[in-house]
Amino acid sequence: MSTYQSLSSEKLTVVLDIGSAFTRFGFTTDFAPRYIIRSEVRCKKTNKLRKICDYDSADDLYDMLVELIHIIYFKYALISPKDRPIVIVESLLCPTLFRETLAKVLFLQYEVSSILVLPSHLVALASLANDTGLVVDVGYKEAVVIPVCHGLPILQAWQALPLGGEHIHSHLKSLLSSSNTGIQNLPENFLEDIKVRCCFVTKSSRVEQLEGGKPEYAPPPDVVYPYAGTESILVTGKVREKTFEILYEEDNDHLCLSTMILDAILKVNMDLRQKLAENLVLIGGTVMTLGFKARLKEELQKQLNNDRYKVLNIHEFKFHTLPCKENYAAWLGGAIYGATEFLSMKAISKDFYLREKHLPDWINLKDINNTVSRTL
Ligand SMILES: Nc1ncnc2c1ncn2[C@@H]1O[C@H](COP(=O)(O)OP(=O)(O)OP(=O)(O)O)[C@@H](O)[C@H]1O
Ligand SMILES: [Mg+2]
């Protein structure tokens, strides 16, 4: 759909997914987000770009969200938010302060008519037309695993670790500093570009060979990455192979990406375990890395030999192939739900919000028991 149509159409509903690194938004009629922008706004005092997730206080977050929503509606979407519904795709682990402030901004500042809040892990399955799956979201700040069984997220089985783009960038920086000087002040977007263009996930057999000191073949060629006009950064073959290893190395508690998945499976009913192992759904930008899926499968198979996971009695792991890019799989699910009657049935209306003064939340027992009608 072209931009001029959005200016004239009355029925467009915005679908918004605000991540720690990227914000995706578009309309319920779209197959992909119209725009993916960085989740950052320019600070009025310092004129520097600030990430939304780096807020200092509730007021600071409020101001940043007012700015971000303004950019989304008036620079890109080109429609007025007033008296329109909006679909928000959010992580089930989203901090209460963030979701409450976002609701305040949308209802009080921009006067939207209603908000449909959808859990990202659940809606990510919508494009697969499947109601059971183990959803693994590896984004920028963290990796979150939540099993979804027959359309219900199994909350007691959730697993989260700070394994994502941010962690990989700091690991890459320390690896690069061994062969380059003056890396400490390298802006993060350069690290991200080096990571995406030059680095990849290697096989587990190759890692064993490298550790044993007898690799079967030489490392991939070094890359000279041009930086700041005349300067350059040397990205050695070893660094290219090693950058993503941080995701698969166990920490002091013996936890890593593969153990998170197996721990989540361990916490669900025995009858569902094999089904979840055969319905792994990877979402989030980091899973788009070359070799990520193949290596994760190897690591999962390897972990099954561990005594802790022998009880699982799992024979095979299978991954779904999404009909879209993984970094906007949850957004697409939000657009699918937002295009159905679900929007009018389950959205939180402005009247309800003004009466209750907060968004219903799954962690709040009062909200779970609350039978107050939330219809428009
Ligand atoms: N093709 C790619 N290859 C490797 N990494 C990628 C690719 N595309 C995006 N990424 C990385 O994915 C990360 C962002 O993923 P995503 O957009 O899912 O995060 P987010 O939703 O903003 O964050 P979070 O889910 O933690 O709140 C960034 O670190 C980015 O560098
Ligand atoms: Mg995300």
PDB file of all heavy atoms in Angstrom, residues 158-185:
ATOM      1  N   TRP A 158       8.966 -19.856  31.669  1.00  0.00           N
ATOM      2  CA  TRP A 158       9.777 -18.883  30.926  1.00  0.00           C
ATOM      3  C   TRP A 158      11.244 -18.887  31.367  1.00  0.00           C
ATOM      4  O   TRP A 158      11.556 -19.152  32.523  1.00  0.00           O
ATOM      5  CB  TRP A 158       9.192 -17.464  31.020  1.00  0.00           C
ATOM      6  CG  TRP A 158       9.282 -16.809  32.376  1.00  0.00           C
ATOM      7  CD1 TRP A 158       8.339 -16.857  33.360  1.00  0.00           C
ATOM      8  CD2 TRP A 158      10.362 -16.017  32.898  1.00  0.00           C
ATOM      9  NE1 TRP A 158       8.759 -16.163  34.454  1.00  0.00           N
ATOM     10  CE2 TRP A 158       9.994 -15.624  34.210  1.00  0.00           C
ATOM     11  CE3 TRP A 158      11.589 -15.591  32.401  1.00  0.00           C
ATOM     12  CZ2 TRP A 158      10.814 -14.839  35.004  1.00  0.00           C
ATOM     13  CZ3 TRP A 158      12.414 -14.808  33.202  1.00  0.00           C
ATOM     14  CH2 TRP A 158      12.019 -14.448  34.492  1.00  0.00           C
ATOM     15  N   GLN A 159      12.097 -18.600  30.411  1.00  0.00           N
ATOM     16  CA  GLN A 159      13.538 -18.525  30.675  1.00  0.00           C
ATOM     17  C   GLN A 159      14.070 -17.254  30.012  1.00  0.00           C
ATOM     18  O   GLN A 159      13.666 -16.935  28.897  1.00  0.00           O
ATOM     19  CB  GLN A 159      14.278 -19.709  30.037  1.00  0.00           C
ATOM     20  CG  GLN A 159      13.773 -21.070  30.440  1.00  0.00           C
ATOM     21  CD  GLN A 159      14.144 -21.430  31.859  1.00  0.00           C
ATOM     22  OE1 GLN A 159      15.250 -21.146  32.316  1.00  0.00           O
ATOM     23  NE2 GLN A 159      13.226 -22.052  32.573  1.00  0.00           N
ATOM     24  N   ALA A 160      14.943 -16.538  30.687  1.00  0.00           N
ATOM     25  CA  ALA A 160      15.533 -15.337  30.076  1.00  0.00           C
ATOM     26  C   ALA A 160      16.987 -15.201  30.499  1.00  0.00           C
ATOM     27  O   ALA A 160      17.345 -15.517  31.634  1.00  0.00           O
ATOM     28  CB  ALA A 160      14.748 -14.099  30.494  1.00  0.00           C
ATOM     29  N   LEU A 161      17.820 -14.775  29.565  1.00  0.00           N
ATOM     30  CA  LEU A 161      19.233 -14.509  29.855  1.00  0.00           C
ATOM     31  C   LEU A 161      19.657 -13.266  29.060  1.00  0.00           C
ATOM     32  O   LEU A 161      19.116 -13.031  27.972  1.00  0.00           O
ATOM     33  CB  LEU A 161      20.107 -15.677  29.405  1.00  0.00           C
ATOM     34  CG  LEU A 161      20.230 -16.905  30.307  1.00  0.00           C
ATOM     35  CD1 LEU A 161      21.146 -17.932  29.659  1.00  0.00           C
ATOM     36  CD2 LEU A 161      20.766 -16.571  31.690  1.00  0.00           C
ATOM     37  N   PRO A 162      20.597 -12.491  29.571  1.00  0.00           N
ATOM     38  CA  PRO A 162      21.010 -11.291  28.811  1.00  0.00           C
ATOM     39  C   PRO A 162      21.887 -11.641  27.614  1.00  0.00           C
ATOM     40  O   PRO A 162      23.030 -11.201  27.495  1.00  0.00           O
ATOM     41  CB  PRO A 162      21.762 -10.457  29.858  1.00  0.00           C
ATOM     42  CG  PRO A 162      22.265 -11.451  30.822  1.00  0.00           C
ATOM     43  CD  PRO A 162      21.300 -12.598  30.845  1.00  0.00           C
ATOM     44  N   LEU A 163      21.373 -12.499  26.735  1.00  0.00           N
ATOM     45  CA  LEU A 163      22.122 -12.907  25.547  1.00  0.00           C
ATOM     46  C   LEU A 163      21.424 -12.314  24.324  1.00  0.00           C
ATOM     47  O   LEU A 163      20.329 -12.729  23.974  1.00  0.00           O
ATOM     48  CB  LEU A 163      22.134 -14.435  25.416  1.00  0.00           C
ATOM     49  CG  LEU A 163      22.827 -15.216  26.516  1.00  0.00           C
ATOM     50  CD1 LEU A 163      22.640 -16.703  26.313  1.00  0.00           C
ATOM     51  CD2 LEU A 163      24.305 -14.877  26.564  1.00  0.00           C
ATOM     52  N   GLY A 164      22.043 -11.343  23.729  1.00  0.00           N
ATOM     53  CA  GLY A 164      21.439 -10.701  22.557  1.00  0.00           C
ATOM     54  C   GLY A 164      22.464  -9.814  21.885  1.00  0.00           C
ATOM     55  O   GLY A 164      23.672  -9.908  22.166  1.00  0.00           O
ATOM     56  N   GLY A 165      21.989  -8.947  21.026  1.00  0.00           N
ATOM     57  CA  GLY A 165      22.891  -8.075  20.261  1.00  0.00           C
ATOM     58  C   GLY A 165      23.850  -7.284  21.141  1.00  0.00           C
ATOM     59  O   GLY A 165      25.045  -7.209  20.864  1.00  0.00           O
ATOM     60  N   GLU A 166      23.341  -6.740  22.248  1.00  0.00           N
ATOM     61  CA  GLU A 166      24.182  -5.897  23.114  1.00  0.00           C
ATOM     62  C   GLU A 166      25.381  -6.683  23.658  1.00  0.00           C
ATOM     63  O   GLU A 166      26.518  -6.205  23.640  1.00  0.00           O
ATOM     64  CB  GLU A 166      23.320  -5.385  24.272  1.00  0.00           C
ATOM     65  CG  GLU A 166      23.976  -4.317  25.094  1.00  0.00           C
ATOM     66  CD  GLU A 166      23.076  -3.845  26.228  1.00  0.00           C
ATOM     67  OE1 GLU A 166      22.367  -4.672  26.836  1.00  0.00           O
ATOM     68  OE2 GLU A 166      23.105  -2.641  26.504  1.00  0.00           O
ATOM     69  N   HIS A 167      25.109  -7.904  24.087  1.00  0.00           N
ATOM     70  CA  HIS A 167      26.136  -8.769  24.659  1.00  0.00           C
ATOM     71  C   HIS A 167      27.165  -9.136  23.576  1.00  0.00           C
ATOM     72  O   HIS A 167      28.381  -9.127  23.826  1.00  0.00           O
ATOM     73  CB  HIS A 167      25.445 -10.029  25.178  1.00  0.00           C
ATOM     74  CG  HIS A 167      26.244 -10.791  26.164  1.00  0.00           C
ATOM     75  ND1 HIS A 167      26.784 -10.220  27.280  1.00  0.00           N
ATOM     76  CD2 HIS A 167      26.601 -12.098  26.193  1.00  0.00           C
ATOM     77  CE1 HIS A 167      27.440 -11.141  27.948  1.00  0.00           C
ATOM     78  NE2 HIS A 167      27.361 -12.288  27.312  1.00  0.00           N
ATOM     79  N   ILE A 168      26.661  -9.418  22.375  1.00  0.00           N
ATOM     80  CA  ILE A 168      27.555  -9.800  21.270  1.00  0.00           C
ATOM     81  C   ILE A 168      28.445  -8.613  20.893  1.00  0.00           C
ATOM     82  O   ILE A 168      29.643  -8.772  20.642  1.00  0.00           O
ATOM     83  CB  ILE A 168      26.732 -10.287  20.052  1.00  0.00           C
ATOM     84  CG1 ILE A 168      25.950 -11.549  20.420  1.00  0.00           C
ATOM     85  CG2 ILE A 168      27.619 -10.558  18.840  1.00  0.00           C
ATOM     86  CD1 ILE A 168      24.831 -11.888  19.487  1.00  0.00           C
ATOM     87  N   HIS A 169      27.860  -7.401  20.886  1.00  0.00           N
ATOM     88  CA  HIS A 169      28.651  -6.220  20.524  1.00  0.00           C
ATOM     89  C   HIS A 169      29.806  -6.002  21.506  1.00  0.00           C
ATOM     90  O   HIS A 169      30.922  -5.698  21.100  1.00  0.00           O
ATOM     91  CB  HIS A 169      27.769  -4.960  20.492  1.00  0.00           C
ATOM     92  CG  HIS A 169      26.703  -5.040  19.432  1.00  0.00           C
ATOM     93  ND1 HIS A 169      25.640  -4.190  19.377  1.00  0.00           N
ATOM     94  CD2 HIS A 169      26.551  -5.891  18.387  1.00  0.00           C
ATOM     95  CE1 HIS A 169      24.867  -4.516  18.360  1.00  0.00           C
ATOM     96  NE2 HIS A 169      25.403  -5.542  17.740  1.00  0.00           N
ATOM     97  N   SER A 170      29.527  -6.167  22.809  1.00  0.00           N
ATOM     98  CA  SER A 170      30.624  -5.934  23.760  1.00  0.00           C
ATOM     99  C   SER A 170      31.684  -7.032  23.639  1.00  0.00           C
ATOM    100  O   SER A 170      32.884  -6.769  23.796  1.00  0.00           O
ATOM    101  CB  SER A 170      30.109  -5.788  25.191  1.00  0.00           C
ATOM    102  OG  SER A 170      29.502  -6.965  25.579  1.00  0.00           O
ATOM    103  N   HIS A 171      31.257  -8.258  23.304  1.00  0.00           N
ATOM    104  CA  HIS A 171      32.224  -9.345  23.108  1.00  0.00           C
ATOM    105  C   HIS A 171      33.080  -9.061  21.866  1.00  0.00           C
ATOM    106  O   HIS A 171      34.305  -9.214  21.889  1.00  0.00           O
ATOM    107  CB  HIS A 171      31.459 -10.662  22.951  1.00  0.00           C
ATOM    108  CG  HIS A 171      32.324 -11.863  22.797  1.00  0.00           C
ATOM    109  ND1 HIS A 171      33.287 -12.197  23.707  1.00  0.00           N
ATOM    110  CD2 HIS A 171      32.376 -12.820  21.833  1.00  0.00           C
ATOM    111  CE1 HIS A 171      33.897 -13.294  23.323  1.00  0.00           C
ATOM    112  NE2 HIS A 171      33.368 -13.693  22.183  1.00  0.00           N
ATOM    113  N   LEU A 172      32.419  -8.595  20.807  1.00  0.00           N
ATOM    114  CA  LEU A 172      33.143  -8.274  19.570  1.00  0.00           C
ATOM    115  C   LEU A 172      34.157  -7.156  19.814  1.00  0.00           C
ATOM    116  O   LEU A 172      35.290  -7.210  19.328  1.00  0.00           O
ATOM    117  CB  LEU A 172      32.133  -7.869  18.484  1.00  0.00           C
ATOM    118  CG  LEU A 172      32.697  -7.391  17.150  1.00  0.00           C
ATOM    119  CD1 LEU A 172      33.535  -8.475  16.473  1.00  0.00           C
ATOM    120  CD2 LEU A 172      31.577  -6.964  16.185  1.00  0.00           C
ATOM    121  N   LYS A 173      33.740  -6.176  20.623  1.00  0.00           N
ATOM    122  CA  LYS A 173      34.654  -5.060  20.916  1.00  0.00           C
ATOM    123  C   LYS A 173      35.918  -5.557  21.603  1.00  0.00           C
ATOM    124  O   LYS A 173      37.027  -5.171  21.236  1.00  0.00           O
ATOM    125  CB  LYS A 173      33.929  -4.046  21.806  1.00  0.00           C
ATOM    126  CG  LYS A 173      34.623  -2.715  21.883  1.00  0.00           C
ATOM    127  CD  LYS A 173      33.905  -1.857  22.888  1.00  0.00           C
ATOM    128  CE  LYS A 173      33.565  -0.518  22.339  1.00  0.00           C
ATOM    129  NZ  LYS A 173      32.857   0.338  23.265  1.00  0.00           N
ATOM    130  N   SER A 174      35.734  -6.456  22.582  1.00  0.00           N
ATOM    131  CA  SER A 174      36.932  -6.950  23.289  1.00  0.00           C
ATOM    132  C   SER A 174      37.788  -7.821  22.366  1.00  0.00           C
ATOM    133  O   SER A 174      39.018  -7.788  22.451  1.00  0.00           O
ATOM    134  CB  SER A 174      36.555  -7.690  24.567  1.00  0.00           C
ATOM    135  OG  SER A 174      35.806  -8.826  24.250  1.00  0.00           O
ATOM    136  N   LEU A 175      37.158  -8.564  21.450  1.00  0.00           N
ATOM    137  CA  LEU A 175      37.948  -9.378  20.510  1.00  0.00           C
ATOM    138  C   LEU A 175      38.731  -8.487  19.541  1.00  0.00           C
ATOM    139  O   LEU A 175      39.895  -8.738  19.228  1.00  0.00           O
ATOM    140  CB  LEU A 175      37.030 -10.305  19.704  1.00  0.00           C
ATOM    141  CG  LEU A 175      36.390 -11.488  20.428  1.00  0.00           C
ATOM    142  CD1 LEU A 175      35.420 -12.214  19.511  1.00  0.00           C
ATOM    143  CD2 LEU A 175      37.438 -12.472  20.926  1.00  0.00           C
ATOM    144  N   LEU A 176      38.061  -7.419  19.085  1.00  0.00           N
ATOM    145  CA  LEU A 176      38.716  -6.521  18.122  1.00  0.00           C
ATOM    146  C   LEU A 176      39.869  -5.748  18.750  1.00  0.00           C
ATOM    147  O   LEU A 176      40.858  -5.439  18.077  1.00  0.00           O
ATOM    148  CB  LEU A 176      37.704  -5.515  17.558  1.00  0.00           C
ATOM    149  CG  LEU A 176      36.698  -6.035  16.527  1.00  0.00           C
ATOM    150  CD1 LEU A 176      35.693  -4.960  16.176  1.00  0.00           C
ATOM    151  CD2 LEU A 176      37.397  -6.509  15.259  1.00  0.00           C
ATOM    152  N   SER A 177      39.753  -5.460  20.049  1.00  0.00           N
ATOM    153  CA  SER A 177      40.793  -4.644  20.683  1.00  0.00           C
ATOM    154  C   SER A 177      42.139  -5.370  20.742  1.00  0.00           C
ATOM    155  O   SER A 177      43.177  -4.735  20.906  1.00  0.00           O
ATOM    156  CB  SER A 177      40.354  -4.188  22.067  1.00  0.00           C
ATOM    157  OG  SER A 177      40.032  -5.305  22.808  1.00  0.00           O
ATOM    158  N   SER A 178      42.144  -6.707  20.585  1.00  0.00           N
ATOM    159  CA  SER A 178      43.430  -7.420  20.606  1.00  0.00           C
ATOM    160  C   SER A 178      44.232  -7.173  19.326  1.00  0.00           C
ATOM    161  O   SER A 178      45.457  -7.225  19.338  1.00  0.00           O
ATOM    162  CB  SER A 178      43.205  -8.918  20.817  1.00  0.00           C
ATOM    163  OG  SER A 178      42.426  -9.413  19.757  1.00  0.00           O
ATOM    164  N   SER A 179      43.549  -6.892  18.198  1.00  0.00           N
ATOM    165  CA  SER A 179      44.300  -6.659  16.961  1.00  0.00           C
ATOM    166  C   SER A 179      44.203  -5.215  16.464  1.00  0.00           C
ATOM    167  O   SER A 179      44.722  -4.877  15.403  1.00  0.00           O
ATOM    168  CB  SER A 179      43.814  -7.616  15.863  1.00  0.00           C
ATOM    169  OG  SER A 179      42.415  -7.587  15.790  1.00  0.00           O
ATOM    170  N   ASN A 180      43.517  -4.359  17.204  1.00  0.00           N
ATOM    171  CA  ASN A 180      43.364  -2.952  16.800  1.00  0.00           C
ATOM    172  C   ASN A 180      43.543  -2.042  18.003  1.00  0.00           C
ATOM    173  O   ASN A 180      43.197  -2.408  19.122  1.00  0.00           O
ATOM    174  CB  ASN A 180      41.954  -2.710  16.239  1.00  0.00           C
ATOM    175  CG  ASN A 180      41.676  -3.509  14.984  1.00  0.00           C
ATOM    176  OD1 ASN A 180      41.991  -3.092  13.888  1.00  0.00           O
ATOM    177  ND2 ASN A 180      41.096  -4.686  15.165  1.00  0.00           N
ATOM    178  N   THR A 181      44.003  -0.841  17.752  1.00  0.00           N
ATOM    179  CA  THR A 181      44.098   0.124  18.852  1.00  0.00           C
ATOM    180  C   THR A 181      43.009   1.188  18.670  1.00  0.00           C
ATOM    181  O   THR A 181      42.512   1.396  17.572  1.00  0.00           O
ATOM    182  CB  THR A 181      45.489   0.813  18.868  1.00  0.00           C
ATOM    183  OG1 THR A 181      45.747   1.255  17.538  1.00  0.00           O
ATOM    184  CG2 THR A 181      46.576  -0.103  19.348  1.00  0.00           C
ATOM    185  N   GLY A 182      42.659   1.834  19.773  1.00  0.00           N
ATOM    186  CA  GLY A 182      41.660   2.912  19.717  1.00  0.00           C
ATOM    187  C   GLY A 182      40.249   2.430  19.455  1.00  0.00           C
ATOM    188  O   GLY A 182      39.402   3.175  18.958  1.00  0.00           O
ATOM    189  N   ILE A 183      39.976   1.156  19.802  1.00  0.00           N
ATOM    190  CA  ILE A 183      38.653   0.573  19.549  1.00  0.00           C
ATOM    191  C   ILE A 183      37.647   0.998  20.625  1.00  0.00           C
ATOM    192  O   ILE A 183      36.447   1.000  20.397  1.00  0.00           O
ATOM    193  CB  ILE A 183      38.801  -0.979  19.528  1.00  0.00           C
ATOM    194  CG1 ILE A 183      39.517  -1.420  18.263  1.00  0.00           C
ATOM    195  CG2 ILE A 183      37.506  -1.708  19.692  1.00  0.00           C
ATOM    196  CD1 ILE A 183      38.713  -1.219  17.006  1.00  0.00           C
ATOM    197  N   GLN A 184      38.153   1.386  21.792  1.00  0.00           N
ATOM    198  CA  GLN A 184      37.266   1.625  22.936  1.00  0.00           C
ATOM    199  C   GLN A 184      36.149   2.631  22.644  1.00  0.00           C
ATOM    200  O   GLN A 184      35.052   2.514  23.160  1.00  0.00           O
ATOM    201  CB  GLN A 184      38.079   2.079  24.166  1.00  0.00           C
ATOM    202  CG  GLN A 184      38.912   0.983  24.798  1.00  0.00           C
ATOM    203  CD  GLN A 184      38.208  -0.375  24.878  1.00  0.00           C
ATOM    204  OE1 GLN A 184      37.055  -0.457  25.270  1.00  0.00           O
ATOM    205  NE2 GLN A 184      38.898  -1.439  24.466  1.00  0.00           N
ATOM    206  N   ASN A 185      36.433   3.623  21.786  1.00  0.00           N
ATOM    207  CA  ASN A 185      35.408   4.639  21.509  1.00  0.00           C
ATOM    208  C   ASN A 185      34.624   4.360  20.227  1.00  0.00           C
ATOM    209  O   ASN A 185      33.907   5.233  19.733  1.00  0.00           O
ATOM    210  CB  ASN A 185      36.057   6.025  21.406  1.00  0.00           C
ATOM    211  CG  ASN A 185      36.719   6.404  22.713  1.00  0.00           C
ATOM    212  OD1 ASN A 185      36.206   6.037  23.777  1.00  0.00           O
ATOM    213  ND2 ASN A 185      37.837   7.082  22.643  1.00  0.00           N
TER     214      ASN A 185
END
